Amino acid sequence: MPTERPRRRIPEATVARLPVYLRILSEQAEEEVESISSDRLAELAGVNAAKVRKDLSYLGSYGTRGVGYEVAYLVYQIRRELGLTHDWPVVIVGAGNLGQALAGYGGFGERGFPVAGIVDVDPGKVGTVLGGVRVRHIDELSQIVQSKRVNIGVVATPTAAAQDAAERLVRAGVTSILNFAPVVLSVPRSIEVRKVDLAVELQILSYHEQRRATTSTLRSVAGGIGGGPGTNGQVGQVGQVGQGGQGGQGGQVGLGGTAATSRPASA
Amino acid sequence: MPTERPRRRIPEATVARLPVYLRILSEQAEEEVESISSDRLAELAGVNAAKVRKDLSYLGSYGTRGVGYEVAYLVYQIRRELGLTHDWPVVIVGAGNLGQALAGYGGFGERGFPVAGIVDVDPGKVGTVLGGVRVRHIDELSQIVQSKRVNIGVVATPTAAAQDAAERLVRAGVTSILNFAPVVLSVPRSIEVRKVDLAVELQILSYHEQRRATTSTLRSVAGGIGGGPGTNGQVGQVGQVGQGGQGGQGGQVGLGGTAATSRPASA
DNA sequence: CCAGCTTTGTGAACGTGTGCACGAGTGCCT
DNA sequence: AGGCACTCGTGCACACGTTCACAAAGCTGG
Ligand SMILES: NC(=O)c1ccc[n+]([C@@H]2O[C@H](COP(=O)([O-])OP(=O)(O)OC[C@H]3O[C@@H](n4cnc5c(N)ncnc54)[C@H](O)[C@@H]3O)[C@@H](O)[C@H]2O)c1
Ligand SMILES: NC(=O)c1ccc[n+]([C@@H]2O[C@H](COP(=O)([O-])OP(=O)(O)OC[C@H]3O[C@@H](n4cnc5c(N)ncnc54)[C@H](O)[C@@H]3O)[C@@H](O)[C@H]2O)c1
């Protein structure tokens, strides 16, 4: 079993898809599927088969022509490439609505991101236990980060406090931040920041809804602008998509979208 | 005041940035700033100034050369383009950890996405009140969607139930879905789906952390692989970024990343 | 009214991402 | 052993997105 070093630098767009492949492959492994073709994997992931092959080719791990990929080996390779060979403890700043939901969610620990700690400024929150972890005061942040060797921090404070939270995280030694507050954080360029902004997601959906309404108005002059539900409910027929092409994605610096539109075929 | 129709189709990457500009411009408007340059807006949004100008040029709304853009007018134009001239009520499926956090979060209503309803299958959850909205049984979904004219649905059920939830939403008449479950939903191609997958975000961060560790190992042979915190905390000096370029983003069909990396200068 | 400064709008070059098409292996069946 | 069906790996063309650079346009002061 070759332990080749990551040969090329992996494109961000590919990095963003690897976790999806990984989840699917892990599921397949549980169902005792030993081998999988790029076609099948593409179908399950809702992407183009050529894209799957190209993505996987960056791993340097080879499939077998005429056969497909060995699921277990692929899982191993992707996990290694993503740095998932060991856990990455995370620390959450802000134990409000969202922080509590995150802490109470077991999915992170399962996927290798155990919650090493939750901190808050509110004395009323300190001491309460969320998802098995006791909320501690924010002054203990540095100590938690250092003793638990935390590299990843999550900002779940109100908007006004997000910049402060980020700075505290950076000072404490965190090098990657996942930010839920709808603000652009200012941090040293060496820090990797990713943003999840639900309002932005909804606004993008709104744009498409609005566009849908406008377009149909042009065709059927009757349609009101408010745009009632389209009620075309054809749920059964799944639309395997012709993958409407588009520029890349990736956690690029500028801004960039947040979610991905997908519409794959089910099994 | 010209009310020009949206001339060109707006690129997805731009659509994904407009909400960010909108938020910043709204804040500026509250601070009574009347005019803003692309440079300043770019700085606040953490993007390249040329990108800002190009993005805004798609709106057809004009700035004034030598001066900048009129904040209020830009806000109006962006809101119009994004379809934010009226509210878009949303319905949440799944009143668990996440559904409760979403319902309890006032930010959506403020931004034009009031929670029209929350539904769940669990009889124990039905009847409880979250964020001023009573949880109702999922069988009432269609009725809610139709009576409240809901176009956007949010899937916040466990993974196993997400596909079912999506199908119910589509049958009820919803045409856009925001999915929090880590699965690829199969829906008719006419339905717009966006996915927010926190585990994917963390795994992307993990990739970069791992890469950082590997790279530094090559340089300073000493460093352990586990990669303790880097503790280079230089918080004060904000890094206005040279916008490390990258391929596009956008809510493209395939998959695609979810969050964006940003690192702008603060005011 | 002109000179000089500022800032927009956009053409063009470049970089990234996507998807087709096909050569090149691999396994199976006869 | 040979033929055939299958699937990977990838070159290539094209689409999309980003950034630079600069002419056009507007403002201000004299
Ligand atoms: N709740 C959601 O569903 C949701 C959805 C989208 C975005 N968000 C964003 O997530 C963030 C958190 O939302 P929420 O609903 O959990 O808010 P919240 O008000 O319920 O919780 C915020 C918590 O942060 C704590 N806090 C305040 N200042 C702090 C500081 N300087 N350091 C550490 N902790 C501090 C508060 O004590 C509070 O417990 C907000 O920025 C919000 O915009 C939340
Ligand atoms: N909680 C988080 O912070 C978090 C983070 C990332 C992803 N997620 C994802 O979000 C989803 C929800 O997470 P959660 O923590 O809220 O889960 P949860 O178990 O707390 O809540 C799920 C809710 O959905 C309800 N439900 C189950 N089947 C349903 C159906 N068919 N129709 C309607 N409702 C149904 C359940 O009764 C429950 O109330 C999961 O897919 C999870 O992977 C959650």
Side-chain angles (χ1 to χ4, degrees):
Chain A
M1 186 166 292
T3 317
E4 303 176 38
R5 283 286 98 191
R7 38 190 75 188
R8 316 145 185 140
R9 203 189 103 274
I10 299 184
E12 277 298 313
T14 295
V15 171
R17 282 187 294 267
L18 288 178
V20 179
Y21 301 151
L22 178 58
R23 180 175 48 71
I24 291 168
L25 290 167
S26 300
E27 286 166 11
Q28 293 296 307
E30 273 186 24
E31 293 173 24
E32 321 241 342
V33 175
E34 294 187 355
S35 170
I36 193 170
S37 70
S38 60
D39 257 330
R40 177 76 179 126
L41 180 50
E43 190 185 342
L44 295 173
V47 303
N48 182 292
K51 198 185 288 182
V52 167
R53 290 198 295 274
K54 190 155 287 187
D55 284 343
L56 296 181
S57 77
Y58 290 114
L59 296 178
S61 83
Y62 297 137
T64 309
R65 296 173 188 220
V67 178
Y69 299 87
E70 190 195 330
V71 173
Y73 185 53
L74 216 44
V75 166
Y76 166 78
Q77 285 289 354
I78 296 178
R79 289 179 57 88
R80 195 174 71 86
E81 195 62 41
L82 290 178
L84 301 176
T85 49
H86 63 85
D87 280 2
W88 293 96
V90 302
V91 62
I92 299 171
V93 182
N97 270 323
L98 189 59
Q100 290 177 32
L102 293 173
Y105 176 57
F108 293 155
E110 288 169 26
R111 287 163 188 268
F113 299 92
V115 177
I118 317 174
V119 300
D120 204 300
V121 276
D122 184 354
K125 295 265 168 70
V126 174
T128 52
V129 175
L130 303 173
V133 184
R134 192 168 53 86
V135 177
R136 295 165 69 177
H137 192 268
I138 194 167
D139 288 342
E140 300 184 54
L141 182 60
S142 277
Q143 197 250 306
I144 295 170
V145 168
Q146 259 139 56
S147 68
K148 300 270 183 73
R149 299 226 182 288
V150 176
N151 287 39
I152 301 175
V154 175
V155 174
T157 65
T159 305
Q163 180 61 37
D164 175 58
E167 290 174 12
R168 286 171 185 266
L169 281 169
V170 172
R171 273 201 300 272
V174 157
T175 46
S176 288
I177 294 176
L178 184 56
N179 176 33
F180 284 93
V183 284
V184 182
L185 296 180
S186 298
V187 296
R189 66 166 55 195
S190 62
I191 306 295
E192 186 81 18
V193 177
R194 290 187 69 83
K195 183 180 63 153
V196 173
D197 191 332
L198 308 189
V200 169
E201 296 307 316
L202 289 175
Q203 288 174 19
I204 294 172
L205 289 178
S206 159
Y207 168 78
H208 289 292
E209 285 291 334
Q210 178 258 8
R211 181 151 257 277
R212 195 187 305 244
T214 304
T215 308
S216 69
T217 300
L218 292 181
R219 271 186 270 142
S220 63
V221 192
I225 290 182
T231 321
N232 73 344
Q234 33 168 335
V235 174
Q237 67 185 73
V238 175
Q240 165 59 323
V241 172
Q243 298 312 123
Q246 175 110 333
Q249 184 288 330
Q252 81 272 50
V253 171
L255 286 172
T258 304
T261 306
S262 56
R263 196 174 358 263
S266 68
Chain B
M1 186 165 290
T3 317
E4 303 175 39
R5 283 287 97 191
R7 40 189 74 190
R8 317 146 183 137
R9 204 189 101 274
I10 299 184
E12 277 298 312
T14 295
V15 171
R17 281 187 295 267
L18 288 178
V20 180
Y21 301 151
L22 178 58
R23 180 175 49 69
I24 291 168
L25 289 167
S26 300
E27 285 166 12
Q28 293 295 307
E30 272 185 27
E31 293 172 25
E32 321 241 345
V33 175
E34 294 188 356
S35 171
I36 192 169
S37 70
S38 60
D39 257 329
R40 177 75 179 126
L41 181 50
E43 190 186 343
L44 294 173
V47 303
N48 183 291
K51 199 186 288 183
V52 167
R53 289 198 294 276
K54 188 151 283 189
D55 284 343
L56 295 181
S57 77
Y58 290 115
L59 295 179
S61 83
Y62 298 135
T64 308
R65 294 172 190 224
V67 179
Y69 299 86
E70 191 194 330
V71 173
Y73 185 54
L74 259 194
V75 166
Y76 166 77
Q77 284 289 354
I78 296 178
R79 288 180 57 87
R80 196 174 71 86
E81 195 61 42
L82 291 178
L84 301 176
T85 50
H86 63 84
D87 281 2
W88 293 96
V90 302
V91 63
I92 299 171
V93 182
N97 270 324
L98 189 60
Q100 290 178 31
L102 293 173
Y105 176 58
F108 293 155
E110 287 169 26
R111 288 162 187 268
F113 299 92
V115 177
I118 317 174
V119 300
D120 204 299
V121 275
D122 184 355
K125 296 265 168 72
V126 174
T128 53
V129 175
L130 303 172
V133 183
R134 192 170 52 86
V135 177
R136 296 165 70 177
H137 191 268
I138 194 167
D139 287 343
E140 299 184 56
L141 182 59
S142 277
Q143 197 250 305
I144 296 170
V145 167
Q146 259 139 56
S147 68
K148 301 269 182 74
R149 300 227 180 286
V150 176
N151 287 39
I152 301 175
V154 176
V155 174
T157 65
T159 306
Q163 179 61 38
D164 175 57
E167 290 174 11
R168 285 172 186 266
L169 281 169
V170 172
R171 273 201 300 272
V174 157
T175 45
S176 288
I177 293 176
L178 183 56
N179 176 33
F180 284 93
V183 284
V184 182
L185 296 180
S186 299
V187 296
R189 64 168 53 196
S190 61
I191 306 295
E192 187 80 19
V193 178
R194 290 187 70 83
K195 184 181 62 153
V196 174
D197 191 331
L198 308 189
V200 169
E201 296 307 315
L202 289 175
Q203 288 174 19
I204 294 172
L205 289 178
S206 160
Y207 168 79
H208 290 292
E209 285 292 334
Q210 178 259 7
R211 181 151 255 279
R212 193 188 307 244
T214 303
T215 308
S216 69
T217 299
L218 293 180
R219 270 186 270 141
S220 63
V221 192
I225 290 183
T231 321
N232 74 344
Q234 33 168 333
V235 175
Q237 67 184 74
V238 175
Q240 164 59 322
V241 171
Q243 299 312 126
Q246 175 110 335
Q249 183 289 330
Q252 81 272 52
V253 172
L255 286 173
T258 303
T261 306
S262 56
R263 194 173 0 262
S266 69

